Amino acid sequence: MNEDSCVKLLKLMEERGAKKNPPSICIGNVASINPLIIQVGDLPLYKDDVLVSTDLLEGYKRQLECNGTTNVYETKDGFNKGDILAMFATADRQTYVVIAKVTRL
């Protein structure tokens, strides 16, 4: 097997292996609120391009019970321009899922 054949074989193995690996987490930045634009590197994502964890949405309500008393908590903040988001892409890279807001220490 010559060097050119080895290179082709390695590239083929890399391509096939990449299809089996799950997408890694990426970082997005909220560039605009209205309209919602999340920037992932050079790629702008719009609301139709993303799925969002419901507890990150403004107005999300959750019932919590403590010592027999149920309280309803509602989120008020939602997304703000400049927020940093932990995200991952679906296998076809057509949709991105926002899983958390994150911050630098």
Side-chain angles (χ1 to χ4, degrees):
M1 187 179 275
N2 64 32
E3 188 175 328
D4 191 43
S5 297
C6 289
V7 170
K8 286 180 182 178
L9 179 61
L10 287 173
K11 284 186 179 190
L12 178 64
M13 290 169 60
E14 184 180 68
E15 289 171 10
R16 297 256 171 104
K19 289 180 182 178
K20 301 291 182 187
N21 291 328
S24 62
I25 291 178
C26 58
I27 300 298
N29 291 287
V30 178
S32 171
I33 298 299
N34 193 9
L36 179 63
I37 302 172
I38 300 170
Q39 198 74 33
V40 177
D42 293 333
L43 178 66
L45 301 173
Y46 303 92
K47 71 176 189 172
D48 293 339
D49 301 322
V50 297
L51 298 172
V52 177
S53 176
T54 54
D55 59 339
L56 294 174
L57 298 174
E58 183 176 353
Y60 172 76
K61 294 179 183 176
R62 170 162 280 175
Q63 288 186 354
L64 299 174
E65 185 176 324
C66 182
N67 298 325
T69 302
T70 300
N71 294 298
V72 175
Y73 294 89
E74 182 177 342
T75 56
K76 299 288 186 184
D77 52 352
F79 291 122
N80 297 298
K81 185 175 180 178
D83 282 348
I84 303 169
L85 308 173
M87 309 173 68
F88 64 89
T90 56
D92 64 3
R93 304 214 185 273
Q94 297 301 304
T95 303
Y96 284 72
V97 181
V98 178
I99 54 176
K101 282 190 198 184
V102 295
T103 190
R104 297 189 188 281
L105 294 178

